[in-house]
Amino acid sequence: MAKRGADLLKTGRTIRGFTQDEVAQIYGISTKTYRNWESGKTAVSFDDLSALCDQVFKFPLAKLSEVASHAA
């Protein structure tokens, strides 16, 4: 899920027009952690991915997955 999670994070961030730094700050994690998740270097947990979708991107995970699959 590392690559899939990374794709979903990038899609959500792009939709909302946030920088990686902004997402990390809003979610309360280090920019390095977020960058590692988005690059696929480190796998993002399902719980963190769901929370980011709800709390930061304000976009349901299922809908974001659908949008990301169409963009690929």
Side-chain angles (χ1 to χ4, degrees):
M1 181 166 139
K3 184 61 177 156
R4 182 72 177 142
D7 291 342
L8 293 173
L9 290 175
K10 186 171 185 175
T11 300
R13 183 177 60 81
T14 302
I15 288 170
R16 292 298 178 221
F18 290 134
T19 65
Q20 291 179 335
D21 292 334
E22 290 170 328
V23 173
Q25 184 177 32
I26 293 166
Y27 192 56
I29 57 172
S30 73
T31 300
K32 181 179 179 183
T33 296
Y34 183 79
R35 286 186 180 150
N36 284 341
W37 287 348
E38 191 176 299
S39 70
K41 189 174 186 179
T42 305
V44 60
S45 72
F46 180 79
D47 289 343
D48 283 316
L49 181 59
S50 295
L52 280 158
C53 288
D54 290 340
Q55 299 169 20
V56 179
F57 305 140
K58 310 290 187 205
F59 215 87
L61 180 57
K63 187 68 173 170
L64 185 60
S65 183
E66 183 181 317
V67 170
S69 68
H70 289 294

